[in-house]
Amino acid sequence: MTIDLTNRVAIVTGAGGGLGRQHALALAKRGAKVVVNDLGGNLDGTGRSLRAADEVVREIREAGGEAIANGASVTDLAEVEAMVAEATERWGSVDILVANAGILRDKTFAKMEIDDFRAVLEVHVMGSVHCAKAVWAGMRERSYGRIVFTSSSSGLFGSFGQANYSAAKMALVGLMNTLALEGARYNIKVNCLAPTAGTRMLEGLLPADHIAALDPALVSPAVLALVAEDAPTKTVLCAGAGTFESAKTILTKGIHFGAGEDLPEKVLGALDRLSDTDGFLDPKEGAGQYTHELAMAGFGPEQG
Ligand SMILES: NC(=O)c1ccc[n+]([C@@H]2O[C@H](COP(=O)([O-])OP(=O)(O)OC[C@H]3O[C@@H](n4cnc5c(N)ncnc54)[C@H](O)[C@@H]3O)[C@@H](O)[C@H]2O)c1
């Protein structure tokens, strides 16, 4: 089963360098027509230039592919809508969105300015929302869509000095969870990627041989899997240095205590036991939690 993206139109945000560049090259290599979007700014989101995106477009065209550069900031809904309109006018549709653009403003929470928190949420969360919103109606009309949000281990598991970034990256998992449900009947599949790659984001944090092993080109195959015809949906796929994992939010079976004045003490005393993952549940949607709780309380069978 070869993943063939011929005639598919893809937008990759933040594709002027790092992971986005590799995703754009990989999508084009499989036949997709690619909008290479990048604001061309610094790591903290300041500055602007189309040079990097133009260079990636040149690479794709030289390899025989089709691509256009776009300098929209994902934080600007009007610019994002214009980008989607341009791609749709030129190629007829947008079938694939890889929301990859991102910035960092790392500091411990004690030292973090609220503006640094907002700026990071604005790019990662609202940037992804703007892009998804701009392609959503067209994907519904055509009953076809593949959306990948870029999450991170920092959000999934925490990372010292990255409160803003962690909050933003976990928000994307929530966005995915609900868009996957709402998109299901329109054949819109929505997933998250949690990459590790030796890009400028990791510069200075790891030794040179580790950075080299974390080649961003080894992450893009996960993106191809998430945008394939038979892609999964509502999956958080992790990728780095040639290893691929999946991160899941599960629900432990828990313990039913019923009511009582001593519930707070009982709960605190039983935290280890009620957190035991033996026999865990994997709810298909949020309602899975309360149907489980009601079933534990004796209200009929669980609906999953
Ligand atoms: N490198 C890693 O190990 C790692 C780990 C987890 C998640 N990520 C995520 O992967 C994505 C790519 O990161 P990277 O490591 O390639 O870093 P990078 O800095 O090379 O790439 C990010 C790109 O996004 C662009 N960008 C920033 N703000 C933008 C905006 N408003 N509009 C359009 N483009 C904008 C930048 O110009 C840059 O080219 C990010 O979302 C990042 O948070 C990276």
Side-chain angles (χ1 to χ4, degrees):
M1 160 194 70
T2 307
I3 297 172
D4 181 5
L5 302 175
T6 311
N7 295 326
R8 293 289 177 206
V9 178
I11 291 177
V12 184
T13 67
L19 282 161
R21 171 175 167 268
Q22 292 298 337
H23 300 338
L25 294 174
L27 288 162
K29 205 170 166 189
R30 295 299 180 114
K33 302 176 174 85
V34 184
V35 177
V36 178
N37 160 268
D38 207 298
L39 177 76
N42 303 309
L43 193 55
D44 67 358
T46 57
R48 205 158 179 164
S49 153
L50 202 57
R51 217 177 44 235
D54 278 335
E55 178 57 26
V56 176
V57 167
R58 193 189 57 74
E59 274 185 82
I60 290 174
R61 288 184 182 158
E62 264 181 26
E66 274 187 74
I68 52 170
N70 177 282
S73 171
V74 294
T75 59
D76 186 320
L77 179 60
E79 289 183 16
V80 169
E81 285 173 341
M83 167 173 72
V84 172
E86 187 190 349
T88 309
E89 271 157 36
R90 192 180 179 111
W91 290 321
S93 62
V94 176
D95 311 297
I96 296 169
L97 165 67
V98 182
N100 164 83
I103 61 168
L104 286 182
R105 301 259 177 112
D106 293 359
K107 274 193 183 98
T108 57
F109 193 54
K111 293 184 184 150
M112 190 177 283
E113 300 291 338
I114 286 298
D115 279 352
D116 290 332
F117 209 105
R118 272 194 219 287
V120 166
L121 289 187
E122 204 50 47
V123 175
H124 293 274
V125 184
M126 291 316 295
S128 299
V129 170
H130 291 159
C131 293
K133 184 73 179 156
V135 298
W136 195 254
M139 287 182 172
R140 271 172 50 121
E141 271 160 32
R142 293 183 295 272
S143 276
Y144 191 93
R146 300 289 179 265
I147 296 178
V148 179
F149 297 124
T150 308
S151 186
S152 166
S153 57
S154 302
L156 294 166
F157 309 112
S159 176
F160 194 95
Q162 294 196 309
N164 48 4
Y165 184 76
S166 304
K169 289 309 200 184
M170 203 55 185
L172 295 172
V173 177
L175 180 64
M176 169 198 78
N177 281 334
T178 290
L179 292 193
L181 296 177
E182 293 186 10
R185 52 193 279 239
Y186 303 99
N187 188 20
I188 304 174
K189 298 187 174 180
V190 189
N191 295 291
C192 277
L193 172 76
T196 321
T199 65
R200 68 179 182 174
M201 279 204 179
L202 286 192
E203 247 168 45
L205 295 179
L206 293 175
D209 57 337
H210 290 191
I211 293 281
L214 290 165
D215 181 353
L218 291 173
V219 171
S220 302
V223 171
L224 292 188
L226 293 178
V227 304
E229 190 79 29
D230 49 1
T233 193
K234 214 165 170 259
T235 293
V236 180
L237 194 55
C238 310
T243 295
F244 301 85
E245 312 101 315
S246 174
K248 287 184 95 62
T249 306
I250 56 157
L251 187 69
T252 64
K253 188 162 179 294
I255 301 169
H256 177 70
F257 286 124
E261 276 301 312
D262 58 348
L263 268 180
E265 290 76 17
K266 273 190 176 162
V267 170
L268 187 60
L271 266 184
D272 279 354
R273 278 193 298 134
L274 65 82
S275 304
D276 189 340
T277 52
D278 262 8
F280 72 83
L281 289 92
D282 182 7
K284 297 290 163 275
E285 56 183 81
Q289 179 178 330
Y290 70 73
T291 55
H292 172 64
E293 289 160 354
L294 289 170
M296 293 283 276
F299 286 87
E302 218 153 294
Q303 281 141 46

